[in-house]
């Protein structure tokens, strides 16, 4: 169906699919047009507008979310392919009454200006810190056999897929390192 609300069966032309997603710990059963990106499903169907539509080509990172704990650009992934998966958006990083330590570090270190890229920066930083905890090397990791040392160069390399048009990069690096040190 053109409306994207079909059953996903051949009778409606197969243009829609049922997708079960756990988003920020809440289960959702959605019927979506097969062309719907994860970003559009989050924003338009679930009302989670923290993830931003920046370039719609995966180049800016403002749409970054965590998919099964790994960071992804939600504008590049078709939601129909994610049945049974878990998504965490910026809205799911904090508890009901307090900011996450990473969010608090962004505030404390003034790691945002206009704030448009901040949700993607935060989700990417959360995923990046988890990668470091698992000692996943990056292209700038010097010793592949030792635990990863979270230097400024490591943070910059790992966050390079997230652009900030206001150029708050030095404060973003400082905030991420502060959050990592507090872990």
């Amino acid at each position: 169906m053109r409306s994207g609300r079909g059953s996903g069966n051949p009778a409606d032309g197969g243009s829609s699919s049922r997708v079960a997603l756990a988003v920020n710990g809440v289960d959702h059963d959605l019927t979506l047009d097969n062309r719907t990106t994860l970003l559009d499903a989050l924003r338009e169907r679930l009302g989670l507008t923290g993830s931003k539509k920046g370039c719609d080509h995966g180049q800016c990172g403002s749409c970054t979310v965590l998919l099964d704990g790994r960071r992804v650009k939600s504008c590049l992934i078709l939601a129909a392919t994610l049945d049974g998966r878990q998504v965490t958006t910026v809205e799911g990083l904090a508890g009901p009454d307090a900011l996450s330590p990473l969010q608090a570090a962004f505030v404390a270190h003034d790691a945002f200006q206009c704030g448009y890229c901040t949700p993607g920066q935060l989700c990417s930083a959360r995923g990046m810190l988890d990668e470091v905890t698992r000692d996943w090397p990056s292209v700038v990791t010097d010793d592949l056999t030792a635990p990863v040392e979270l230097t400024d160069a490591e943070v910059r390399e790992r966050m390079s897929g997230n652009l900030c048009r206001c150029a708050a990069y030095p404060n973003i690096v400082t905030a991420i390192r502060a959050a990592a040190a507090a872990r």
Side-chain angles (χ1 to χ4, degrees):
M1 288 181 115
R2 292 184 193 276
S3 70
R5 293 189 176 264
S7 64
N9 66 39
D12 73 2
S15 64
S16 62
S17 298
R18 292 186 60 126
V19 180
L21 285 175
V23 181
N24 300 329
V26 177
D27 292 332
H28 298 276
D29 188 20
L30 304 169
T31 301
L32 300 169
D33 182 297
N34 290 335
R35 299 165 294 182
T36 303
T37 63
L38 174 58
L39 176 61
D40 288 338
L42 293 170
R43 292 181 58 81
E44 296 171 15
R45 294 296 302 276
L46 299 179
L48 297 170
T49 57
S51 303
K52 302 297 187 238
K53 188 175 280 209
C55 66
D56 224 11
H57 296 287
Q59 297 174 349
C60 72
S62 63
C63 68
T64 303
V65 298
L66 300 173
L67 178 62
D68 296 331
R70 300 206 43 200
R71 52 197 170 141
V72 297
K73 311 276 178 74
S74 63
C75 72
L76 296 179
I77 299 174
L78 295 175
T81 67
L82 303 177
D83 192 52
R85 309 284 293 274
Q86 294 185 9
V87 176
T88 303
T89 67
V90 69
E91 293 93 343
L93 293 180
D97 299 322
L99 297 176
S100 72
L102 184 60
Q103 290 169 314
F106 265 60
V107 171
H109 295 280
D110 196 27
F112 55 91
Q113 288 182 24
C114 80
Y116 196 83
C117 73
T118 305
Q121 296 277 358
L122 285 164
C123 285
S124 189
R126 168 82 283 127
M128 183 267 298
L129 289 173
D130 291 342
E131 292 166 10
V132 169
T133 299
R134 291 190 295 271
D135 286 325
W136 291 3
S138 77
V139 71
V140 299
T141 304
D142 288 328
D143 185 351
L144 301 181
T145 62
V148 173
E149 181 184 344
L150 193 60
T151 63
D152 285 359
E154 278 287 346
V155 173
R156 285 187 187 106
E157 169 59 29
R158 291 169 187 269
M159 294 295 292
S160 65
N162 292 81
L163 302 179
C164 173
R165 292 183 179 148
C166 298
Y169 297 117
N171 297 357
I172 291 169
V173 171
T174 301
I176 291 170
R177 290 192 65 193
R183 286 177 119 186

